[in-house]
Amino acid sequence: MELWRKEFSEEAKKQLWLAGPMVIVSVFQYSLQMISLMFIGHLDELLLAGASLATSFAKVTGFSVLIGMSSALDTFCGQSYGAQQYHMVGIHMQRAMVVIMIITIPLSIIWAYLGPILVVLHQDKTIAEQAQLYARYLIPSLSANALLRCIVKFLQTQNIVFPMVLATGLTTLTHVLVCWILVLKFKLGIKGAAIAFCISNWVNTILLALYIRFSSSCKTTWTGFSRESLHNIPQFLRLAFPSTLMVCLEQWTIQLMVLLSGALPNPKLQTSVLYICFNITGLLWMIPYGLGSAASTRISNELGAGSPKAAYLAVKVTLLLAFIVCALGFTLLMLTRNIWGRIFTNVPEVINSVASVTPILASFVFVDSFQTTFSGIARGCGWQKLGAFVNLGSYYLVGLPFAIVLAFVLHMKGEGLLLGILLAFIVQVVCFFLVTFHTNWDKEANKAAKRVTGHEVLVQAAPNALPGEQNEKS
């Protein structure tokens, strides 16, 4: 028991050491768009509406796709690093960069013609025009983000996180200055805010690329550009496409909920309340996302190293930490239920509505934190295809139909929409829980070995083997 507690404690320290910096990196990256919108908000209400609409659309059709595609590297880079196939970590990153940069071409075309698309979706024409202008000037940020997401996964799966904190922190500070110069000093308005966002993304990407090139920490994993990265692209896509679906299905559902809220009675109130709720959950989501990132790194490293027992220990530690995070998030929201609405608006009706749905929102955050953590476990194991099916079923066969029935048939309005997504999250968590605790971790380690080396290596865990001993036996 004493030895088990020590192992558990050591694993928890490793995960927290990874998760903490990744939370900070996520917050810094998230803040770039928020800072741009804040500067626009001081100019004109129409400009803010257009930029906000473009930002929402860009997230759904662009940035979520890039995050999803790059998430395949949680599996490939993490397991290669654990298997000590160090040069392959860099090869996987290059392969992902090639594929994702190609993906940005059709995404750029969509952004360039955002105005007509929004008009077809029954959005206000004047707001759609401003949204298209903002989106067109955001296009250079797509290629920067494509490279940046791959670099972040490359470093994260090697447990190199503090350089990312420094780079993203410096980028965020300079972003405020660049926004001030372009938006206010040079009076470029909405165009200046978009250009500032692009510049900051490229600054962040270049800083981390320079670190990889010149740091001794990456000398074994980055050995220069190689034609080998052009091989086995179908193998990468087999994980990248379901990874993208895992991310996008959730984002698309949330945007559908916002659109559906516009069809409810008093749509201005319902949409405002739902928008505030999703902003609150977006902020609190950063913590379980960091924990999920740490989980995917630890689990993929251990599976790649042929240590099934250590990988399963990492899963158990992750879920305990997730429960603590869930409980804290739930408690925080309930204790501050009358404060959150005032942060976003001064309209009493909206403030009261946000406070009234807080119990549902707190439950939403509790379950979503578990769902996000399980997604990290799935990426570490290479279960993206399974995750895509789970997400498809939970959101579109359960969550969305129930949300529509509750909101429109039973007249529960915005609360009904939130309850529909909450139900989808519960289904996700139950499915992932059943899969995780019925998994043969020896087989998962064998799959990882086959994925990394191209052939299966029998990994058998001795009944009383310690996590450290498993590496030696492999």
Side-chain angles (χ1 to χ4, degrees):
M1 178 63 83
E2 184 79 26
L3 183 60
W4 187 84
R5 284 180 181 172
K6 185 178 179 182
E7 292 173 10
F8 201 93
S9 175
E10 288 298 317
E11 179 61 34
K13 287 177 184 176
K14 289 177 183 177
Q15 292 197 23
L16 291 173
W17 187 255
L18 277 169
M22 287 308 300
V23 171
I24 297 171
V25 169
S26 299
V27 170
F28 279 144
Q29 290 178 339
Y30 180 78
S31 68
L32 294 182
Q33 281 280 25
M34 297 300 293
I35 290 168
S36 291
L37 291 177
M38 286 166 61
F39 272 91
I40 296 170
H42 285 87
L43 297 177
D44 182 78
E45 191 175 350
L46 173 62
L47 296 181
L48 178 59
S52 299
L53 186 58
T55 299
S56 178
F57 192 87
K59 183 179 180 181
V60 172
T61 60
F63 299 132
S64 293
V65 175
L66 303 184
I67 292 171
M69 294 289 287
S70 64
S71 292
L73 294 179
D74 282 319
T75 307
F76 286 116
C77 287
Q79 294 184 358
S80 294
Y81 187 76
Q84 298 182 6
Q85 299 279 334
Y86 296 130
H87 77 287
M88 286 304 299
V89 180
I91 298 298
H92 287 308
M93 178 181 69
Q94 291 177 56
R95 185 176 296 135
M97 285 178 169
V98 170
V99 173
I100 299 175
M101 286 295 282
I102 293 171
I103 295 293
T104 62
I105 296 172
L107 297 180
S108 299
I109 295 171
I110 293 170
W111 285 16
Y113 295 97
L114 178 59
I117 294 172
L118 292 174
V119 171
V120 169
L121 294 173
H122 304 290
Q123 300 298 310
D124 183 85
K125 188 174 284 189
T126 54
I127 295 176
E129 287 175 1
Q130 295 301 323
Q132 177 171 289
L133 180 64
Y134 190 70
R136 283 184 173 178
Y137 278 91
L138 276 184
I139 288 174
S141 69
L142 267 174
S143 49
N145 254 274
L147 300 175
L148 180 61
R149 295 296 173 184
C150 297
I151 290 172
V152 166
K153 294 298 183 184
F154 171 81
L155 294 171
Q156 173 200 315
T157 51
Q158 299 175 68
N159 304 280
I160 302 172
V161 286
F162 287 100
M164 290 194 284
V165 173
L166 294 175
T168 51
L170 181 61
T171 300
T172 303
L173 288 174
T174 56
H175 183 61
V176 177
L177 178 62
V178 174
C179 275
W180 179 80
I181 292 171
L182 295 179
V183 177
L184 302 179
K185 192 73 174 175
F186 290 167
K187 301 186 185 303
L188 292 177
I190 193 170
K191 293 185 289 187
I195 293 169
F197 181 76
C198 295
I199 291 171
S200 295
N201 272 274
W202 277 108
V203 166
N204 199 358
T205 303
I206 291 168
L207 285 174
L208 290 176
L210 289 173
Y211 174 82
I212 291 172
R213 173 64 181 83
F214 295 106
S215 171
S216 59
S217 302
C218 302
K219 64 181 180 181
T220 56
T221 51
W222 176 255
T223 54
F225 293 101
S226 171
R227 290 185 180 179
E228 191 178 351
S229 62
L230 301 177
H231 304 159
N232 296 322
I233 287 178
Q235 182 191 21
F236 172 77
L237 292 176
R238 278 194 290 272
L239 276 187
F241 281 141
S243 289
T244 305
L245 280 176
M246 280 183 69
V247 175
C248 289
L249 286 171
E250 180 177 350
Q251 292 301 323
W252 294 341
T253 304
I254 289 173
Q255 291 305 315
L256 273 173
M257 294 299 164
V258 175
L259 289 173
L260 286 171
S261 68
L264 291 168
N266 197 351
K268 191 173 181 181
L269 171 65
Q270 299 298 332
T271 303
S272 298
V273 171
L274 220 59
Y275 179 77
I276 290 171
C277 288
F278 288 141
N279 270 282
I280 294 169
T281 57
L283 287 170
L284 296 177
W285 174 81
M286 300 294 175
I287 299 174
Y289 176 76
L291 188 59
S293 297
S296 68
T297 297
R298 289 292 304 127
I299 292 164
S300 63
N301 284 174
E302 295 296 353
L303 288 177
S307 304
K309 186 181 177 185
Y312 186 47
L313 175 65
V315 169
K316 290 187 284 188
V317 171
T318 296
L319 293 178
L320 176 62
L321 293 175
F323 177 79
I324 295 170
V325 167
C326 294
L328 289 174
F330 182 90
T331 305
L332 175 66
L333 271 176
M334 291 304 294
L335 291 175
T336 57
R337 59 187 300 174
N338 296 315
I339 297 174
W340 286 99
R342 300 179 192 279
I343 294 173
F344 290 90
T345 183
N346 295 319
V347 181
E349 192 179 8
V350 176
I351 294 170
N352 293 333
S353 295
V354 171
S356 69
V357 300
T358 298
I360 298 174
L361 190 63
S363 303
F364 184 105
V365 168
F366 186 93
V367 183
D368 186 31
S369 296
F370 264 119
Q371 180 268 135
T372 303
T373 306
F374 270 119
S375 294
I377 294 171
R379 295 195 305 271
C381 296
W383 295 343
Q384 284 90 336
K385 189 174 181 180
L386 171 67
F389 280 116
V390 169
N391 287 10
L392 180 63
S394 59
Y395 286 121
Y396 292 91
L397 297 182
V398 179
L400 190 58
F402 270 86
I404 293 171
V405 170
L406 292 172
F408 294 95
V409 179
L410 300 181
H411 307 292
M412 294 181 68
K413 303 177 183 177
E415 292 183 7
L417 296 178
L418 285 174
L419 283 170
I421 304 184
L422 175 60
L423 182 60
F425 285 161
I426 292 171
V427 172
Q428 277 181 293
V429 169
V430 170
C431 290
F432 278 127
F433 183 87
L434 292 173
V435 169
T436 301
F437 286 97
H438 285 84
T439 292
N440 184 318
W441 292 95
D442 291 342
K443 287 184 178 179
E444 291 302 319
N446 288 329
K447 288 179 186 176
K450 187 175 182 180
R451 187 178 289 119
V452 170
T453 64
H455 54 85
E456 193 166 333
V457 178
L458 270 181
V459 179
Q460 293 292 341
N464 299 313
L466 301 178
E469 293 173 347
Q470 199 64 35
N471 283 335
E472 296 172 5
K473 293 180 181 181
S474 304

